[in-house]
Amino acid sequence: MSANDNDIAIVAFAQTPSYAHFNNSEPEMIMPLVNDVIGQTGLDRHDIDFTIAGSCDYLSGLPFAFVMNIDAVGAWPPVYESHVEMDGAFAMFEGFVRLKCGDIDTALVSGSGKSSPGSPRIFTALQSDPYVMAPLGVDHVSLGAIQARMLLEAGTVTEEELGAIAVRCREAGAKNPYAQITDALSLEDYLAQPLYNAPLRQADIAPTSDGAAALILARGKKAYDLCDNPVWIRAVDHRMESHHPGLRDLTTSVSTRTAAGKVGLHDGPVDIAELNTLFTHEEVILCEALGLGDGTKINPSGGPLVGNPTMAVGLTRVIEVARAIQNGEARRGVAHCSSGSALQQNLLVVLEGDK
């Protein structure tokens, strides 16, 4: 296959394990990944045309906390740098669009976060409507529980079906060297768990993880100069819905369905789907919205339910699909990333290999 000048590919990627707690600083978490992906391509650090990172100052409670992470990519001589206060997958989208402008050839993308020092249930409540919901402390787990209850009462899913998703993800996580949770789980074990936030059990909820991920994008023929087997980004789309949960139907995901149409998801086979499922019931919603059938492997890595590095979990979904394609386990796949509670924002990336 020959590359068009404006085609964009992933030419290198790396990720940390999902840590329950990473003892050192965030730059110390990112720097080995940056060195790794640069080493994979043989690029000099100063050959990177654009640097873009995704992280969240809420995690550390410091204004402009992301600035210290620039130390991990090498801030001198000055780098052409940007930042999004979102997951690294959204940073990748910006890098993709920047490369599409055609005047640069490479971009370094990273996503990172340390959730363990604080409480995600506190800071996610701060992201909700400031007049009605934030004063009530309505966090992402509470909204997830409301969403799960609506699905159960609508008859869309059963507790046993949610348990089967949790069991399958644990089995996959046991084979994933980057997973945080690798303990075995049977359906009987799942049903015996007490309710954590009714109707959700602990196994229904992604853990709190520290972690980071990084990748390098290259444009056109430059991708073949840097990698023998590039993974091409065929389409990206980001859609969002109201952040007022009462203004949308929580049992479905209109934004995901719309994005699937925009990226032409079903213009070809979908061998693998890595979905940003922070709860078991979100897999049910996303598979329906994406129209995924039995021929698609869903979260073969175990997904976020076995490792959830905040601000890197979406970028990790992209990496998991890219890895499967490079390893010959899939030819075409989709990575999904969400932001906001109850799947409020959704981003899809369609990836394809040469072989």
Side-chain angles (χ1 to χ4, degrees):
M1 174 182 172
S2 59
N4 295 322
D5 288 342
N6 226 26
D7 287 345
I8 312 298
I10 298 169
V11 295
F13 51 80
Q15 67 189 96
T16 67
S18 293
Y19 300 103
H21 179 72
F22 184 76
N23 292 320
N24 298 323
S25 69
E26 205 165 317
E28 288 177 278
M29 190 162 55
I30 302 168
M31 185 177 289
L33 303 182
V34 172
N35 292 337
D36 189 349
V37 295
I38 289 176
Q40 290 177 42
T41 59
L43 285 166
D44 183 270
R45 187 179 300 270
H46 303 121
D47 292 334
I48 303 293
D49 296 320
F50 180 58
T51 301
I52 171 77
S55 64
C56 179
D57 291 353
Y58 278 150
L59 298 185
S60 60
L62 297 171
F64 298 101
F66 69 89
V67 174
M68 66 181 182
N69 292 343
I70 301 301
D71 290 342
V73 301
W76 187 264
V79 295
Y80 182 16
E81 195 271 342
S82 184
H83 175 261
V84 296
E85 192 79 4
M86 297 178 79
D87 189 282
F90 294 93
M92 192 201 73
F93 192 9
E94 181 175 332
F96 174 83
V97 172
R98 181 65 190 84
L99 284 166
K100 283 288 187 180
C101 293
D103 60 323
I104 63 172
D105 291 325
T106 56
L108 171 65
V109 180
S110 64
S112 62
K114 286 187 64 180
S115 297
S116 61
S119 173
R121 297 195 69 172
I122 293 176
F123 80 73
T124 56
L126 298 175
Q127 295 176 319
S128 60
D129 166 62
Y131 301 105
V132 178
M133 299 186 68
L136 297 175
V138 182
D139 64 285
H140 72 295
V141 178
S142 300
L143 280 173
I146 291 171
Q147 189 175 46
R149 174 62 67 194
M150 294 175 70
L151 288 165
L152 287 166
E153 293 190 358
T156 304
V157 70
T158 65
E159 290 186 35
E160 289 76 12
E161 288 170 333
L162 294 180
I165 292 171
V167 169
R168 191 193 77 240
C169 289
R170 288 287 187 92
E171 289 174 349
K175 305 171 187 175
N176 183 354
Y178 302 103
Q180 176 183 336
I181 299 177
T182 58
D183 298 340
L185 179 74
S186 67
L187 183 57
E188 292 74 20
D189 293 335
Y190 168 86
L191 293 172
Q193 284 188 351
L195 295 179
Y196 177 81
N197 196 326
L200 298 175
R201 295 170 168 83
Q202 191 71 62
D204 288 308
I205 305 169
T208 295
S209 308
D210 298 344
L215 55 80
I216 290 179
L217 302 177
R219 186 174 68 89
K221 296 178 181 177
K222 184 72 172 179
Y224 286 113
D225 294 337
L226 302 177
C227 178
D228 292 334
N229 188 16
V231 177
W232 299 97
I233 300 175
R234 292 307 182 198
V236 188
D237 196 71
H238 170 207
R239 299 283 152 169
M240 59 191 294
E241 300 172 52
S242 173
H243 76 301
H244 296 274
L247 297 182
R248 53 193 175 101
D249 180 358
L250 297 183
T251 65
T252 188
S253 180
V254 175
S255 55
T256 302
R257 185 179 299 110
T258 302
K262 293 295 182 179
V263 298
L265 183 61
H266 295 290
D267 290 348
V270 183
D271 303 317
I272 180 175
E274 281 284 344
L275 309 178
N276 195 168
T277 49
L278 300 184
F279 305 96
T280 50
H281 67 267
E282 289 187 345
E283 180 177 310
V284 177
I285 294 171
L286 291 170
C287 285
E288 184 276 330
L290 294 170
L292 298 178
D294 293 337
T296 303
K297 296 178 182 177
I298 309 296
N299 283 354
S301 68
L305 290 175
V306 298
N308 175 33
T310 307
M311 300 299 139
V313 65
L315 190 59
T316 302
R317 308 276 65 74
V318 176
I319 288 174
E320 292 289 0
V321 175
R323 180 181 291 113
I325 290 173
Q326 282 202 339
N327 289 343
E329 298 164 11
R331 187 181 185 279
R332 186 173 183 270
V334 61
H336 162 267
C337 177
S338 66
S339 183
S341 297
L343 299 172
Q344 189 249 333
Q345 299 191 48
N346 295 280
L347 175 123
L348 295 181
V349 185
V350 175
L351 300 171
E352 192 172 37
D354 286 341
K355 299 176 182 177

